[in-house]
Amino acid sequence: MRVGVYIDGFNLYYGARYLCGRGTVGWRWLDLRRLSANLVAAHSGWAGASIERVVYCTARISGRDNNIGAREQDVYLRALQVSGSVDELSLGTYVARTTTAPLAVADKKGRPVLTHPGWPVMVKDGGGNDDPEAVFMVSIARREEKGSDVNVASHLLLDVLDGRVDAAVVISNDSDLAFPVAQARLRVPVGMINPTKNYPSGRLSGDPQAGAGRHWWYQLTPQDLYAAQLPSTIGTIVKPTPW
């Protein structure tokens, strides 16, 4: 059984950073092929499964905003390619822009709750009266990755429809992938790996026996990450010290 693995790089990175701890070493130098093989062997139940393709969808971060991070990411991407840990590196774009939004805090479910004035900080209206219903507006720097979810969906469907794989694994908890994942499940068995701290997206759930059947779901753990690391040195490429 030829298995294709499709990875949303930013979803995996930020999920793994939460699971292992931002300042913790030992998880970032991740061997994506080894991780994929370990997860399929342990959780899929697919007889004779082998990893045929690993497609890593990400974007290069801005060196202007994070020069050290950009250099370290470049080292990692080269390590993935030189080691054969990925078969295809599919790059989206990393966008930095300024946006204006109301000031808010998160409730218990992470939903935004607008912040209103209250003593000792109060807003006055034109008549000098307290205005406790006023909204604070702030200008913020917003950095976001564009294109990874589209690239994951595109490679997944192309490989399934072209018959390049007999089964697929998607490493992402992005609900925007609901449609392409559902279409893939009609044709081949699909495993969903949730790399984040959140509950698995309801839109990515389903019947294990629907369509082609033999679908499965799994929540990534720190142990999975620590057990799938690249060698510290790959040719002339050396793992960054903080990693």
Side-chain angles (χ1 to χ4, degrees):
M1 175 184 277
R2 301 166 301 163
V3 180
V5 183
Y6 309 89
I7 303 168
D8 182 334
F10 277 80
N11 210 248
L12 173 59
Y13 172 78
Y14 285 108
R17 190 176 76 174
Y18 179 87
L19 292 173
C20 298
R22 183 169 187 167
T24 307
V25 300
W27 60 268
R28 283 188 283 179
W29 197 239
L30 192 58
D31 184 339
L32 299 176
R33 185 175 296 278
R34 184 177 175 187
L35 174 69
S36 303
N38 290 349
L39 295 174
V40 167
H43 304 289
S44 72
W46 297 336
S50 62
I51 305 301
E52 175 74 12
R53 276 173 57 74
V54 178
V55 181
Y56 185 53
C57 303
T58 189
R60 293 187 182 275
I61 63 177
S62 171
R64 182 180 63 182
D65 298 326
N66 184 355
N67 187 44
I68 293 176
R71 290 203 307 268
E72 291 180 347
Q73 183 195 40
D74 181 68
V75 171
Y76 179 57
L77 295 181
R78 288 191 289 114
L80 290 177
Q81 293 174 298
V82 171
S83 68
S85 184
V86 299
D87 297 289
E88 184 155 350
L89 178 62
S90 185
L91 294 177
T93 56
Y94 186 78
V95 179
R97 58 168 61 97
T98 302
T99 187
T100 302
L103 188 65
V105 296
D107 67 10
K108 292 182 179 179
K109 294 186 177 181
R111 297 170 300 194
V113 178
L114 296 186
T115 300
H116 296 285
W119 291 108
V121 178
M122 178 55 69
V123 172
K124 298 284 188 179
D125 63 20
N129 301 307
D130 290 352
D131 187 1
E133 297 303 314
V135 174
F136 294 107
M137 298 299 296
V138 295
S139 179
I140 60 171
R142 184 173 181 177
R143 301 172 180 85
E144 58 184 328
E145 171 272 334
K146 294 286 189 180
S148 284
D149 54 351
V150 175
N151 289 340
V152 167
S154 300
H155 285 288
L156 168 65
L157 290 180
L158 284 171
D159 285 353
V160 168
L161 294 173
D162 286 345
R164 298 185 68 181
V165 298
D166 305 308
V169 172
V170 178
I171 302 181
S172 178
N173 196 39
D174 188 340
S175 60
D176 288 344
L177 295 173
F179 179 77
V181 166
Q183 291 302 306
R185 285 183 187 141
L186 295 175
R187 297 162 172 85
V188 298
V190 177
M192 292 299 305
I193 307 295
N194 177 9
T196 76
K197 70 182 188 304
N198 302 321
Y199 290 112
S201 168
R203 295 186 63 199
L204 297 175
S205 64
D207 180 350
Q209 297 308 321
R214 294 186 293 166
H215 313 304
W216 52 280
W217 291 258
Y218 179 71
Q219 186 106 15
L220 204 64
T221 70
Q223 291 71 31
D224 297 320
L225 301 166
Y226 291 126
Q229 296 294 301
L230 292 163
S232 296
T233 302
I234 303 168
T236 60
I237 301 171
V238 180
K239 180 175 73 172
T241 302
W243 288 35

